[in-house]
Amino acid sequence: MEQNAQMSRVRTIADLARLAGVSPGTVSRALAGKSLVNAETRDRIQALAAEHSFRPNQMASRLRTQRTGVIGVVVPLGHERRQHLSDPFFMTMLGFLADRLTEDGYDLMLSRIIPDATDWLERIVDSGMMDGVLLIGQSDQVDTIERVARRYRPLVAWGSSDLPGQVHCAVGTDNIAGGRMAGERLIARGARRIAFLGELRAPEIRQRYEGVASAMAAAGIDHPPIQLDTHLASDIMVQEVTAHLDRVGGEIDGIAAASDVIALTTLRVLADRGIRVPDDMPVVGYDDLPLALSAVPRITTVRQDIARGADEMVSALFRRIAGEDAPSVMMPPVLVERDSA
Amino acid sequence: MEQNAQMSRVRTIADLARLAGVSPGTVSRALAGKSLVNAETRDRIQALAAEHSFRPNQMASRLRTQRTGVIGVVVPLGHERRQHLSDPFFMTMLGFLADRLTEDGYDLMLSRIIPDATDWLERIVDSGMMDGVLLIGQSDQVDTIERVARRYRPLVAWGSSDLPGQVHCAVGTDNIAGGRMAGERLIARGARRIAFLGELRAPEIRQRYEGVASAMAAAGIDHPPIQLDTHLASDIMVQEVTAHLDRVGGEIDGIAAASDVIALTTLRVLADRGIRVPDDMPVVGYDDLPLALSAVPRITTVRQDIARGADEMVSALFRRIAGEDAPSVMMPPVLVERDSA
DNA sequence: TGGAACGTTGCAAACGTTTGCGAAAGTCGA
DNA sequence: TCGACTTTCGCAAACGTTTGCAACGTTCCA
């Protein structure tokens, strides 16, 4: 029997049907566990399938049912050409998404996209390969996302949901509030000339900057934060931060980093120069990744609940796949007070 | 025209063929850029396709061609039930794999697997959904991997390639040599009672332990390293390490961590207790993730070239998909001397 | 005893593409 | 003018499932 299983490899449902002496249709129904087949023959067929370790061809099944069981997860790297997928925030988010998606029986197809062609999202959405798509981050591609979202429902993004006129469903945290928290914390630490380390092309980051600015304004500080472009790409970040600090290090007395990774790098550069954190220079991060807790000193940061965010994204997506409506969700950030500010 | 494009949505190749006044076969060939069609009609059809933003159904195409253009990337979490995908090493590796794979026109389907059923790998391999599969890590599932690899060629794993009788293709670094380097470094720093923080069920980690042990033996130290189970799950790692240090902290004078993440956590715990690194307690990590460089103090670690590793994996896989043979590759690790040891 | 009702199964038509094969039309040289 | 050859295209058969519908054999009730 074992030999038999090896010799005449049963590849198709028809093969198995011949072996079982029934029609392919019956095998299909039996394997799907439908109630339309006799329980006895169903068991017999399932046993036979197991014995030959037969698994129906997914491609054919999906073509026929028009349902793929695949969710596309795409990371648009619009303005961050040098950034790659290894960015810890994306990765952490991806991890939670993968957990949740596989739990619900979906597969996850990952695309890392540098949007050079303008139809990058159409290409994905219209490939007919997935039941829905999740965007980790909006990058500077809000226009494209809006255009597609207008006609393609099962699409949800991570990021800002309060953009003027926004139609696409997004889940994220209140970045303005988060930025304000960071700013307030720095001000409470006595900082008045605050630098913001981050690039403003993604709406998320821009809002964080605006939050910091509003906190400063509210405290009666009459100048805005000093904004310094800093990419999330880990390979050049050290040089970038070093250059920034070389240039304006003397003029500032507090740093709001657009992400924990940037904060961590900043800590490193400051340590090299003997600048004490937080006494000489308070630093606050954003995200609250695990590494914020392991850093020395521990990073004071604005927490985004990534696990919950992933959950909300998946839930919204499933509702949209089912044809229901699902609104955007904006979660409140919370300041995690640790040692760096 | 714009209206037209919206109104009569062209979904299939047949639709487009009708519009262009040719047969579906010709459209298919034109879209594929085959030379069997007149250049003029080809351009005309392509223009028409673009105008209606038509994209052929992938599912059907794949069913017909029996080529999916999808590579499965699976992370087996055999003994690490609590570990999730957000582990930085996996994620960094995944990032490079995604870069390389998309570069070559392949899609990437991600599965995070907790191997409860024994046929988890068969289920993936026989789904008929991918042209090949990449395993990030062997976990404690070497038997399963071996069984499948015996009949399924396009499979390559990250991990040890020198296991007794191993048939499956693996790329990784020489973990024994790497462990030895770590051990030698600690010994050079004066350590003699060395703790190894890591779990031995994955062959990779076990070999690192053996490397440390062999370095100690070579130095005339007559006892083995003190092995302390430490999971890679970031959420309980701090507690684990704390517990370990509570128990044996007084007996040891050097720490070899099985990964950089463990090393980082250890640094954090040691800092809490006022134990100076490296003076009181040298610590060496493994992997050389970006975070090793940002840590304070910078982590001395054994470097695995993840980028090259990902490249080797993909190359080997492509060769195997093409039917050629591809041997395992074992890359040399290198000790990166920094501040923690 | 007839037929309605029920539970199981088989038949065959999709799903949307690719591709071998042959037909038609055009080109060229003899 | 004819045949050989080339280029371009249409026809139709796959790829392996799923599923509506019809057919079959029972059972059961009138």
Side-chain angles (χ1 to χ4, degrees):
Chain A
M1 176 164 56
E2 177 59 25
Q3 281 229 342
N4 204 335
Q6 299 298 347
M7 289 175 61
S8 63
R9 179 130 175 62
V10 25
R11 288 184 329 102
T12 78
I13 263 194
D15 292 344
L16 197 62
R18 211 172 307 119
L19 237 61
V22 295
S23 80
T26 303
V27 172
S28 173
R29 281 185 271 254
L31 258 29
K34 295 268 179 73
S35 57
L36 294 88
V37 287
N38 189 327
E40 186 187 325
T41 60
R42 167 161 45 78
D43 293 347
R44 187 165 55 87
I45 290 173
Q46 283 182 352
L48 209 56
E51 179 187 332
H52 292 259
S53 65
F54 166 77
R55 260 166 282 274
N57 181 303
Q58 291 292 323
M59 219 61 66
S61 165
R62 288 171 179 195
L63 172 59
R64 174 60 226 239
T65 58
Q66 302 288 70
R67 178 196 178 278
T68 67
V70 175
I71 301 295
V73 174
V74 4
V75 184
L77 264 28
H79 53 290
E80 296 275 7
R81 265 159 212 283
R82 297 192 51 104
Q83 175 180 352
H84 43 245
L85 217 32
S86 30
D87 177 85
F89 177 81
F90 287 164
M91 291 297 103
T92 306
M93 174 66 87
L94 180 60
F96 285 115
L97 289 176
D99 284 357
R100 175 69 197 280
L101 251 20
T102 50
E103 209 169 87
D104 287 332
Y106 277 85
D107 287 321
L108 184 160
M109 201 147 95
L110 184 64
S111 302
R112 162 199 175 278
I113 293 283
I114 296 177
D116 31 16
T118 57
D119 66 339
W120 59 274
L121 189 49
E122 273 92 351
R123 208 140 50 183
I124 291 172
V125 155
D126 293 331
S127 71
M129 293 239 344
M130 26 217 161
D131 295 339
V133 356
L134 256 20
L135 255 36
I136 309 189
Q138 297 154 320
S139 182
D140 56 358
Q141 299 290 313
V142 175
D143 291 345
T144 302
I145 299 173
E146 287 281 273
R147 167 161 40 88
V148 172
R150 235 175 283 270
R151 66 168 176 85
Y152 183 79
R153 310 297 331 295
L155 172 74
V156 2
W158 172 264
S160 302
S161 51
D162 53 351
L163 270 22
Q166 171 167 353
V167 312
H168 75 269
C169 174
V171 354
T173 55
D174 185 338
N175 288 293
I176 298 181
R180 194 178 310 121
M181 287 173 182
E184 285 165 355
R185 175 72 173 194
L186 291 171
I187 294 165
R189 285 284 191 169
R192 296 192 56 84
R193 286 157 302 149
I194 297 174
F196 180 88
L197 263 53
E199 251 210 342
L200 303 190
R201 262 181 290 179
E204 265 190 293
I205 309 293
R206 169 171 286 280
Q207 292 183 330
R208 288 174 202 172
Y209 168 83
E210 288 166 3
V212 175
S214 82
M216 290 172 69
I221 303 174
D222 61 358
H223 55 268
I226 302 175
Q227 186 265 327
L228 301 165
D229 277 0
T230 310
H231 296 78
L232 273 62
S234 54
D235 49 350
I236 57 165
M237 199 191 297
V238 173
Q239 293 93 303
E240 277 188 324
V241 174
T242 301
H244 288 149
L245 259 33
D246 278 345
R247 198 150 49 80
V248 304
E251 312 167 16
I252 63 177
D253 56 9
I255 295 178
S259 78
D260 279 349
V261 179
I262 294 178
L264 182 66
T265 306
T266 305
L267 252 34
R268 173 73 260 168
V269 173
L270 291 173
D272 286 344
R273 325 192 151 208
I275 300 176
R276 289 170 309 158
V277 175
D279 296 336
D280 298 341
M281 181 81 76
V283 174
V284 11
Y286 210 105
D287 287 342
D288 192 24
L289 299 176
L291 64 85
L293 190 56
S294 299
V296 181
R298 292 183 180 83
I299 299 176
T300 291
T301 189
V302 178
R303 169 155 231 262
Q304 305 198 82
D305 191 336
I306 307 184
R308 185 179 149 214
D311 252 31
E312 297 277 6
M313 287 181 73
V314 174
S315 300
L317 184 66
F318 284 169
R319 293 239 293 285
R320 279 167 168 265
I321 289 175
E324 305 167 34
D325 207 47
S328 291
V329 359
M330 187 159 78
M331 306 182 299
V334 355
L335 183 74
V336 182
E337 306 181 2
R338 289 201 271 251
D339 307 332
S340 72
Chain B
M1 175 164 55
E2 178 59 24
Q3 281 231 342
N4 204 337
Q6 299 298 348
M7 288 175 62
S8 64
R9 179 130 174 61
V10 27
R11 288 185 328 105
T12 77
I13 262 193
D15 292 344
L16 197 62
R18 213 171 308 118
L19 237 61
V22 295
S23 80
T26 303
V27 172
S28 172
R29 281 185 270 253
L31 259 29
K34 294 267 179 73
S35 59
L36 294 88
V37 287
N38 189 331
E40 185 187 326
T41 60
R42 166 161 44 77
D43 294 346
R44 187 166 53 89
I45 290 174
Q46 283 181 352
L48 210 57
E51 180 187 329
H52 292 257
S53 66
F54 167 77
R55 262 166 279 274
N57 182 301
Q58 291 291 323
M59 220 62 68
S61 166
R62 291 173 176 192
L63 173 61
R64 172 60 225 238
T65 57
Q66 302 287 71
R67 178 195 176 279
T68 68
V70 174
I71 300 296
V73 174
V74 3
V75 183
L77 265 27
H79 54 290
E80 295 275 8
R81 261 156 217 283
R82 295 192 51 103
Q83 176 180 350
H84 44 246
L85 258 185
S86 29
D87 177 85
F89 177 82
F90 287 164
M91 291 298 102
T92 307
M93 174 66 90
L94 180 61
F96 285 114
L97 289 176
D99 284 356
R100 175 68 198 280
L101 250 20
T102 49
E103 208 168 88
D104 287 330
Y106 277 85
D107 287 322
L108 183 160
M109 200 148 96
L110 183 64
S111 303
R112 161 199 175 277
I113 293 283
I114 296 177
D116 31 16
T118 57
D119 65 340
W120 59 273
L121 190 49
E122 272 92 351
R123 207 139 50 182
I124 291 172
V125 155
D126 293 331
S127 70
M129 291 240 344
M130 26 216 160
D131 295 340
V133 356
L134 255 21
L135 255 36
I136 309 189
Q138 297 153 321
S139 183
D140 57 356
Q141 299 289 315
V142 174
D143 292 344
T144 301
I145 299 172
E146 288 280 272
R147 168 161 41 87
V148 172
R150 235 175 283 272
R151 69 170 174 83
Y152 183 79
R153 310 297 331 296
L155 173 74
V156 2
W158 171 264
S160 301
S161 51
D162 54 350
L163 271 21
Q166 172 167 352
V167 313
H168 75 269
C169 174
V171 356
T173 55
D174 185 337
N175 288 292
I176 297 181
R180 195 179 310 120
M181 288 172 180
E184 285 165 354
R185 175 72 173 194
L186 290 172
I187 293 165
R189 285 282 190 169
R192 297 191 57 84
R193 286 157 304 150
I194 296 174
F196 180 89
L197 262 52
E199 251 211 343
L200 305 190
R201 263 182 289 181
E204 266 189 292
I205 308 294
R206 168 171 287 280
Q207 292 181 330
R208 289 174 201 173
Y209 168 83
E210 287 165 4
V212 175
S214 82
M216 290 172 69
I221 302 174
D222 60 358
H223 55 267
I226 303 175
Q227 185 267 327
L228 301 166
D229 278 359
T230 310
H231 297 79
L232 273 61
S234 55
D235 49 349
I236 57 166
M237 198 190 297
V238 173
Q239 292 93 305
E240 278 188 323
V241 173
T242 302
H244 288 147
L245 259 32
D246 279 344
R247 198 150 47 79
V248 303
E251 311 166 17
I252 62 177
D253 55 9
I255 294 178
S259 77
D260 279 349
V261 179
I262 294 178
L264 182 66
T265 305
T266 305
L267 252 35
R268 174 71 261 168
V269 173
L270 290 174
D272 285 343
R273 322 189 154 210
I275 300 175
R276 291 170 308 159
V277 175
D279 297 336
D280 299 339
M281 181 82 74
V283 174
V284 10
Y286 209 104
D287 287 341
D288 193 24
L289 298 176
L291 64 86
L293 189 57
S294 300
V296 181
R298 293 184 180 83
I299 299 176
T300 292
T301 189
V302 178
R303 168 155 231 262
Q304 305 198 84
D305 191 337
I306 306 184
R308 188 181 145 211
D311 252 32
E312 297 277 6
M313 287 181 73
V314 174
S315 302
L317 184 65
F318 284 169
R319 293 238 294 285
R320 280 169 168 263
I321 288 176
E324 306 168 34
D325 207 47
S328 290
V329 359
M330 187 159 78
M331 306 182 297
V334 355
L335 183 74
V336 182
E337 306 181 1
R338 288 200 271 250
D339 306 332
S340 73

